[in-house]
Amino acid sequence: MRAAAIHLMDYIPEPIRDYLRRRTAELTGLALLAFVAASFAALITWSAQDPSLNHAVAGPTHNLLGRSGAFIADLMMQLFGVTSAVMLTPLSVWGWQLLTQRRLSRSRLRLMLWCVGAIAAAGVIAYFPVTDRWPLRTGLGGVLGDAVLRLPHALAGTSRLLNLLCGAALCLTALLSLTASTGFGLAPEVEEFDIEPPKKSAARPREVAYDADDAEGEPGLGLVSLGALFHGALTVKASISRFLERR
């Protein structure tokens, strides 16, 4: 089935395929921006009192996106905490790049950096203490942040200096990874279809033809040019001689 699909794509002209790729990239970018906007709207209007998977009540929903938005926002806050807003920022950049540039270079590397940066950011946010007004049992980094925070605490113990160094390392990792996931600082991807073969000069076939004539014993370009110059010089000399005779 896949071979038949590939065989069918071979019959589609390259301009049409390029047009379809561009429109697909634009639609993907638009959908990604819409998802990020909806997620931000759900997170901003999130309330722990809304009906959710962890809070089964029959009361009204205050979320801007209704019950579905309340479920999604509560799930994101439970898992990632305040890191949810940080995780959505690179996704918005990806959507904008797909919409405007119609491509996303080094997508696999960006996805890996985004995951590493999100995990590190959750650990950094989990370092901050919670207040009495925080409605969840987890820290500010959610379940993921609490899980990441266990490793520095196990390594550093009660040492404040080692905990500070682990927090600085997590902060640097999150900053560099999330920044690089947006494409900033990454080397451009070189693809095969971006490299055009060197164009041959138009004069090259003529030179080859002249060389073939020379090989066959016929006068080449150099001999013809030399003969033309010699003939022109004789013509000019004859004209000057006739002019001096008339004078």
Side-chain angles (χ1 to χ4, degrees), residues 127-143:
Y127 265 97
F128 293 90
V130 298
T131 61
D132 297 336
R133 300 182 61 182
W134 183 246
L136 301 179
R137 297 180 181 179
T138 59
L140 295 178
V143 176

Side-chain angles (χ1 to χ4, degrees), residues 179-198:
T179 303
S181 67
T182 62
F184 182 79
L186 292 180
E189 185 178 10
V190 179
E191 300 182 1
E192 294 181 359
F193 56 81
D194 291 335
I195 303 177
E196 297 182 358

